[in-house]
C-alpha cells in the first residue's frame, strides 16, 4: 500500500532582536503542532553595527538551511520610547524578513498581542507565561530561553492562523 501521508508543514518563527534573535521551528500536521528545533542567533556586541546585522542574517540563513522550513513568521516590533533603539530593532527585524524571503519562503507577520493570545489565551500575557505555555504545548522542547520561547510562540500563532490567511 502506498504511503499517502502528507509531510508536515515546517514553520520557522522569529523573535527579532539585535543582540538576541530567537528562532523556533515547529512541524504542523492538521491541528497537531510538534517541536523541531529552537535557538538564538546572538551576534557579538563588539562587532560594528553592519557586521552584527550581517552575522544575524547569516545565522538565520544557516537555521533555514539546517531545518528546511516551508513558511516563516516574524513578530512585529512595537515602538519603543527610545527612537534609536526602535530603529536598531527595525534593522534586526529587516534581517528576519529578508533571510526567509531570500530562501523563497512566504513570510507572515504577527503583532505580539496576537502571538500571546494564540499561546496563552490573552494578548496581555507576560514573558514568563509564554515560556510556561511553550513548555506545556511543546514538551519535547525542554527548557528554552525567553527569546526562543517567544519565537516558538510566533510559529504556533502562525500555525493557528495560516489556514485563515490562505483564504483571506
Amino acid at each position: 500500500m502506498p504511503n499517502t501521508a502528507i509531510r508536515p508543514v515546517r514553520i520557522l518563527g522569529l523573535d527579532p532582536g539585535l543582540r538576541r534573535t530567537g528562532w523556533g521551528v515547529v512541524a504542523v500536521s492538521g491541528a497537531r503542532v510538534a517541536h523541531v528545533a529552537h535557538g538564538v542567533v546572538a551576534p557579538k556586541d563588539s562587532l560594528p553595527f553592519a557586521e552584527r546585522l550581517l552575522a544575524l542574517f547569516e545565522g538565520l540563513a544557516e537555521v533555514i538551511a539546517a531545518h528546511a522550513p516551508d513558511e516563516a513568521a516574524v513578530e512585529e516590533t512595537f515602538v519603543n520610547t527610545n527612537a534609536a533603539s526602535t530603529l536598531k530593532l527595525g534593522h534586526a527585524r529587516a534581517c528576519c524578513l529578508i533571510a526567509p524571503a531570500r530562501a523563497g519562503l512566504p513570510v507572515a507577520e504577527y503583532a505580539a498581542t496576537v502571538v500571546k493570545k494564540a499561546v496563552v489565551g490573552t494578548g496581555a500575557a507576560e514573558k514568563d507565561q509564554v515560556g510556561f505555555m511553550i513548555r506545556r504545548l511543546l514538551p519535547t522542547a525542554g527548557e528554552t530561553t525567553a527569546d526562543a520561547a517567544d519565537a516558538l510562540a510566533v510559529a504556533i500563532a502562525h500555525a493557528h492562523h495560516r489556514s485563515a490567511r490562505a483564504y483571506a
Side-chain angles (χ1 to χ4, degrees):
M1 179 174 256
N3 183 2
T4 57
I6 298 172
R7 178 173 102 54
V9 174
R10 284 190 172 205
I11 299 171
L12 169 64
L14 296 168
D15 178 39
L18 187 56
R19 286 193 169 92
R20 298 175 53 83
T21 289
W23 62 270
V25 180
V26 297
V28 180
S29 184
R32 189 161 188 246
V33 179
H35 174 262
V36 174
H38 67 272
V40 173
V41 177
K44 292 181 182 176
D45 285 340
S46 61
L47 292 174
F49 185 64
E51 290 181 33
R52 288 171 68 189
L53 291 174
L54 179 59
L56 174 56
F57 180 85
E58 289 176 340
L60 294 173
E62 289 172 12
V63 168
I64 292 165
H67 299 289
D70 301 297
E71 301 174 12
V74 179
E75 186 171 280
E76 292 178 350
T77 350
F78 62 92
V79 177
N80 197 327
T81 54
N82 181 333
S85 295
T86 301
L87 185 58
K88 286 182 180 177
L89 181 56
H91 287 83
R93 191 166 173 277
C95 288
C96 291
L97 293 167
I98 295 169
R102 188 167 198 274
L105 305 179
V107 182
E109 301 174 68
Y110 295 96
T113 54
V114 172
V115 172
K116 291 173 181 179
K117 189 168 184 173
V119 174
V120 179
T122 176
E126 299 292 327
K127 274 198 175 286
D128 60 334
Q129 292 174 298
V130 172
F132 175 84
M133 286 307 297
I134 290 300
R135 287 190 297 278
R136 296 301 171 269
L137 295 170
L138 302 173
T140 59
E143 286 299 314
T144 61
T145 65
D147 301 298
D150 286 351
L152 288 165
V154 172
I156 290 171
H158 182 61
H160 291 170
H161 289 89
R162 66 188 291 277
S163 59
R165 292 175 69 92
Y167 300 106

